[in-house]
Each structure stands twice: as structure tokens, then as C-alpha cells.
Amino acid sequence: MTIDPEYYLAVGAVLFTVGATGVLVRRNALVMFMCVELMLNAVNLTFVTFARMLDDIGGQVFVFFVLVVAAAEVVVGLAIIVAIFRRRQGATADDLNLLKG
Amino acid sequence: MMWAVFIVAAVAAIVSALGVVMARNPVHSALMLVGTLFSVAVLFVLQEAHFLAAVQVIVYAGAVVVLFLFVIMLLGVDREELLEDPLPGQRGIAVGAGVLAVFGLTILISGTVATGQLSARGPAIAGEEGNVERIAESLFTDFLWPFEITSVLLVIAVVGGIVLVRDSGRRPDDDEGEDTGSTAVEETNS
């Protein structure tokens, strides 16, 4: 007996909103980044669910590419965070206001 | 049986995701993220996406989270996070909007009927060949061009990461212990 795909979509939706709320609520730049990864995972789950619903392998291949791009994004994003916060003690998003008018 | 696995994995994923958001210590957030990634990998296996489950565990849980932990240890763990909001009531509004979004999204998807022309990419549900063969067949024929571009993207990411992190502009005739970056800042301030 297979599970209805709507349940997977519901799990994906909850994960996505938890990640989005986390980006809004947290100040630590690293935890914000982790919440972005949560959102990407929720999207991956949705893609795989739709690949199964529509009987299309393209959804799973796209998840593969999302994984690759997410890994590259983590590398560059963490490099930026390290470069900015090398001299500071804290890593909060509120301190990044040098461009503020 | 599948329902039991699904419920355990789904609850674990959601509880771990809430743990990522609510944990005070960033290391705890990273460990909760590992829990979420493993639970999502179990959900992938339940949907017979075996290759993606393995790649998810290896790449996400095995490399990305390790990278996060490296950077957390490098920058120092911040235990105190300011509790006042720059905009008044920001956190309350964010949590309220999140709860609304969960309800909205679940209402949206409960009425979803996925129809449409089946694409020419090929079936997802594995017949005689396994899931890995299906993905390989599609990846190396229909999606070959994006596949090669992602390899270029990975090289760009590696080079970019190194360029961003290395000490730029440090010349050997500087004064000892003086950081060239801070000198440039002082010059622009004066």
C-alpha cells in the first residue's frame, strides 16, 4: 500500500515554512543559512513527490542539480561569512549595516 | 508498515526542523539539521528515490553540515543572541506569518491534482531497471548539458571560496602585525 503523495507534500510545506520562519526569526548568520538549507530540502522533497505523482524521472534529476547547486552555494556563502566576520566576535545579521544610507 | 516508517520520518523531520530554528547553540542547530536531512533521506527511500537518498546523506549530511560545523568552530560559538527586535514585534509577526503560511500551503496542496502530459524524460517508477539506471539514463542523455555546467559551477565555487578567504593584498614590506585591510579602512575614514 503506497502512501498518498499529499502527505509528502504536506511535510514539505511544513518544512519549508519552518525554514522560512527561521530565516526571519534568527539573527545568527550561520543559523539563517541552515534554515535556507531546510527550505532547499523541503523543495527537494516536493520535487521527488511530484516525480512520483507524474511518473517523470526529470523531477529526481532536478533534485540532483539542486543538491549540487546548494553545495556550491554553501561553499561560497560560508566563505563570505568567514571573510566578513574574521575580525569580529559576533556573527549576527544586524551588524552587517555598512551599506546603510 | 510503510505508514509507520512515514510517520516516524515525517515527525522526526519536522521536530528536527523546529530544533534547527529554536536551538540557542548553533552547534545544536547543525546537529538538528543532520536529523532533518536523515529524515528527508528516509522519505526519499519511501518514494523509491534510492539514489537521491544516498546522495543526500553523502553530500548534505556528510559534507555540507561538516562545513557548517567547521565554520562555527572557526568563528566561535555565539551563545547570546539579542532578544530585542530591530523592528518592533518582528519575531511575533514572523512566527504568526509562518503559522499562516503552513495553513495556507496545506490547504493549497490538499486540493492538488497533478495532471499534465507525461514528459519525455522517462518514467520515475522503476520497472525492471532500478532507480539508479533510470536517473543515469536521463542524466547522461537528456540532461547532459546541465550536468557539465554544474561541474563548471563546482569549479567556480571552489575557486571563489579560496579567493574569498585568503588574505588579499598582504605585501611583504608592510609593518609587522598590521593588517592591510584595516589600514585601507583607516585611510578611507580619515
Side-chain angles (χ1 to χ4, degrees), chain B residues 26 41 51 59 73 97 102 139 142 151 159 175-176:
Chain B
F51 175 71
V59 169
M73 299 301 176
V102 165
L139 191 63
D142 294 324
S151 66
V159 170
D175 294 339
E176 291 178 3

Side-chain angles (χ1 to χ4, degrees), chain A residues 25-80:
Chain A
V25 167
R26 296 297 298 252
R27 300 266 161 63
N28 193 346
L30 290 161
V31 178
M32 286 170 78
F33 213 150
M34 284 187 235
C35 297
V36 171
E37 295 300 317
L38 261 185
M39 287 197 275
L40 284 171
N41 263 287
V43 166
N44 284 348
L45 185 60
T46 311
F47 264 121
V48 169
T49 306
F50 276 118
R52 189 167 176 76
M53 280 168 88
L54 294 171
D55 199 17
D56 183 4
I57 198 67
Q60 297 190 8
V61 174
F62 204 81
V63 170
F64 181 80
F65 289 128
V66 170
L67 271 166
V68 170
V69 171
E73 164 203 347
V74 165
V75 166
V76 174
L78 288 180
I80 289 176

Side-chain angles (χ1 to χ4, degrees), chain B residues 160-178:
Chain B
I162 293 176
V163 164
L164 281 169
V165 170
R166 72 182 176 128
D167 284 329
S168 56
R170 181 160 295 210
R171 300 180 201 88
D173 50 343
D174 272 348
D175 294 339
E176 291 178 3
E178 186 170 338

